[in-house]
Every structure is written in C-alpha cells, then in structure tokens.
Amino acid sequence: MITHHHTSYALPKNIHKVVMPPIKLHGAKTRLVKFILSNISWDGKGKWVEPFLGSGVVLFNVQPERALVNDINPHNIRLYQMIYNGDLTPEEVGAHLLSEGKKLLTNGEEYYYLVRERFNKTGDVLDFIFLSRTCFNGLMRFNSNGEFNSAFCRDPGRLNRAQVSKIVERIHQIQQIMRGKEWEFRVGDWKECVNGVELGDFVYLDPPYVGRHTDYYQKWTENDTIELYKVIRQLPSGFALSTWLADKYRKNEHVEIYLGDFVKREITHFYRIGPYKEFRGTIIELLVIKPGFEA
C-alpha cells in the first residue's frame, strides 16, 4: 500500500520551475505563483479550496492531495475535469490543434471567427483551447451572455508545431500531477464553494480585482468585494487572498477598511496588457493572509 507523506504538499513551497497551465485567462497568477506559495504556511492535511480557479496555475503548483476548486466560467472547469477524468488526452489535443492550425494558416482571420462562432454554440473544449491560444493578447474574454468575444491575434501561424507541442506537454504534466489525487471541480458561485470549509483546510482566493478592469466572465462589483471580505473573515480555516494595493493612479481602499488587521505581503508587478493604458504598467500586488498562516 502506498502511504502519502503530507510534507511534500505543505507550504511554504520554494518553486524552481512554475508548472504552466495550457490556457491563459485574465488575471492568471503565472508570474506571481512563486511569491504566493512562498508566503503561505499550511500543513497540507486538509483540503485546498479555490473558489476562483481561473487558469489553475496556483492549484497545479501547490499539487495538494485533496482539493475543491470552483469557477463561474464553465469552460476552464470542464477542461480540467476532462483531463482529470481521462476524457481528454494530450494526444487528442495535439492532433486537433495541428489540424486546426493548418486551417488557420490557410484561411487566416476568417477561420478564427468561424471557430469562435462554433464554440459559442457548442462550448467544445478543444475549440476552447484553440481560441485561448489564437485570440488577441492570448486573453479570453466573455460577454454578459457568456459568449467568447476576444478578437483574433492577427497571426495565422500561431499554432505551429512547436507551439502545439508546448501545449500538449503542459496538459501531459497536469495529467501527471492530478493522478491519484482527490480533486473536485465545480462550476458556480464562490459562496457555495467556501460553505463547507473546515478547520484544517486552506482557502486561496483570487477574485476579480475591483476597480481595475471589468471581469472576463461576469460583472464583479464593489459590493461583491465587500461581501467576500466579510465572508472570509468568518472562515474557520486559514486563507490567503490576492488583490491589488495601488497603481500610480489610485489605491484600493477596501483592504484597509475590511482587512486591516490581517497579515499583508506586497510585490510590485508589471502588467503589459489591458484595455486602457492606466491598467498597464506597474501595480502593487497584495497577498492578505490570515494571521498564523503566513510563512
């Protein structure tokens, strides 16, 4: 019988090479995951809970034995659920992207919009991966009806063989990480996800950054932020929350008001993308941690 040693799943974690997700979503923590996981202390014995999964990059680098993860966007959850269940193989993804990449190379922009239209009708997971790698800025956005609406990246050669094998390799790596672990994937409201949190669990929250941009899948308001801050104060478990503290134009006032008594760690981060110039540039990222769970 295999015995699991919890120590390898404990935090803080010193990550040498970040495990990269196969998709990009707005606000993904790929560049911040080392900062996040080196500042959290958790013994790894309960469940790792993420109410806002996004690209999954934090989960794939924690690699907990047990996890409950949720997102309001059904597409990223379906993708990871299918990899977890074995319903989607790296080989299948590779074959699809190579054949679609050829069509894109031949027909350009027109073909991209054809796939986008098809995806908005069917929600096909392979089309989701295709669009995530060929949309403008590599950033998926959805309108208020939940339809994918990012424009084309203007590069018909985007899905070349090297690019495709990189994506396939990432899916393969994630598949290996998931093997033998108890992970539950949900689509829905963050509140339901944190409802049954227990003492030994750890909750990592990466909600949309209020005041920074419109969210990519739903409208996230100031009231949502305040409600979230009030709910997490009551959690029996440890938690850490990612948010922003300031950019050169303004400051996030909510943090001091609602979470002033929690542990805070800061890092300066540069955003290269964003619809408006004030959302590009340097921002102070903040990790708010429940006292006793900081590293």
Side-chain angles (χ1 to χ4, degrees):
M1 195 186 137
I2 298 167
T3 54
H4 289 297
H5 298 289
H6 284 297
T7 50
S8 61
Y9 306 103
L11 299 175
K13 203 168 182 185
N14 187 9
I15 295 168
H16 301 294
K17 197 171 191 309
V18 172
V19 175
M20 302 287 278
I23 53 168
K24 286 184 189 177
L25 287 170
H26 202 90
K29 291 291 178 279
T30 311
R31 289 212 204 91
L32 293 167
V33 73
K34 289 182 177 183
F35 160 73
I36 293 163
L37 299 186
S38 62
N39 278 296
I40 296 170
S41 168
W42 177 56
D43 64 12
K45 288 184 178 141
K47 272 205 302 282
W48 177 262
V49 181
E50 280 194 57
F52 306 92
L53 182 67
S55 74
V57 67
V58 176
L59 173 70
F60 302 141
N61 284 281
V62 177
Q63 304 177 9
E65 271 302 298
R66 291 163 55 221
L68 166 61
V69 296
N70 172 78
D71 205 281
I72 193 81
N73 178 348
H75 304 294
N76 54 337
I77 295 292
R78 188 186 301 126
L79 168 63
Y80 294 140
Q81 179 79 67
M82 285 175 77
I83 296 171
Y84 182 79
N85 293 346
D87 296 333
L88 185 70
T89 65
E91 295 72 29
E92 204 182 336
V93 172
H96 180 81
L97 293 181
L98 283 175
S99 82
E100 293 295 283
K102 282 190 187 120
K103 294 175 198 168
L104 184 67
L105 195 55
T106 311
N107 303 305
E109 187 165 7
E110 195 184 334
Y111 191 69
Y112 171 85
Y113 289 109
L114 192 84
V115 175
R116 191 177 82 169
E117 197 180 335
R118 180 172 77 196
F119 170 74
N120 282 331
K121 287 196 184 88
T122 66
D124 183 85
V125 70
L126 290 165
D127 285 343
F128 178 63
I129 302 169
F130 170 89
L131 291 167
S132 104
R133 308 311 302 197
T134 54
C135 65
F136 185 67
N137 261 338
L139 273 193
M140 290 186 273
R141 290 184 174 279
F142 296 83
N143 64 20
S144 54
N145 301 325
E147 291 172 330
F148 179 67
N149 65 355
S150 298
F152 179 51
C153 69
R154 306 196 187 109
D155 173 14
R158 173 61 65 88
L159 281 176
N160 57 38
R161 197 165 278 279
Q163 185 64 27
V164 170
S165 60
K166 197 158 70 175
I167 297 162
V168 169
E169 183 45 51
R170 288 177 185 182
I171 291 176
H172 181 69
Q173 192 180 14
I174 286 165
Q175 197 181 42
Q176 299 298 106
I177 289 167
M178 289 174 167
R179 195 155 285 155
K181 296 193 170 65
E182 283 177 60
W183 287 5
E184 185 191 338
F185 296 87
R186 284 189 198 169
V187 176
D189 187 29
W190 65 267
K191 288 193 282 295
E192 283 165 37
C193 181
V194 298
N195 232 336
V197 165
E198 293 169 3
L199 201 58
D201 297 343
F202 193 92
V203 184
Y204 170 66
L205 305 116
D206 184 20
Y209 287 9
V210 72
R212 283 281 305 168
H213 49 64
T214 51
D215 179 30
Y216 78 98
Y217 201 83
Q218 62 175 146
K219 292 289 168 269
W220 182 263
T221 65
E222 203 164 327
N223 289 346
D224 292 320
T225 298
I226 293 166
E227 184 183 11
L228 175 74
Y229 289 1
K230 287 178 174 168
V231 168
I232 61 176
R233 289 193 72 91
Q234 311 303 317
L235 288 175
S237 67
F239 75 79
L241 165 95
S242 282
T243 187
W244 66 288
L245 180 63
D247 58 25
K248 66 177 181 195
Y249 299 94
R250 64 227 139 131
K251 204 168 183 294
N252 178 356
E253 306 293 350
H254 296 100
V255 175
E256 234 10 86
I257 299 170
Y258 296 97
L259 300 171
D261 49 343
F262 287 84
V263 177
K264 295 179 199 63
R265 299 280 160 84
E266 293 175 15
I267 190 172
T268 301
H269 180 56
F270 185 79
Y271 279 93
R272 288 175 180 75
I273 41 178
Y276 313 107
K277 74 168 189 324
E278 62 264 31
F279 295 154
R280 293 192 286 267
T282 303
I283 178 178
I284 300 170
E285 287 273 347
L286 193 63
L287 191 66
V288 180
I289 310 162
K290 185 169 173 172
F293 292 89
E294 72 277 14

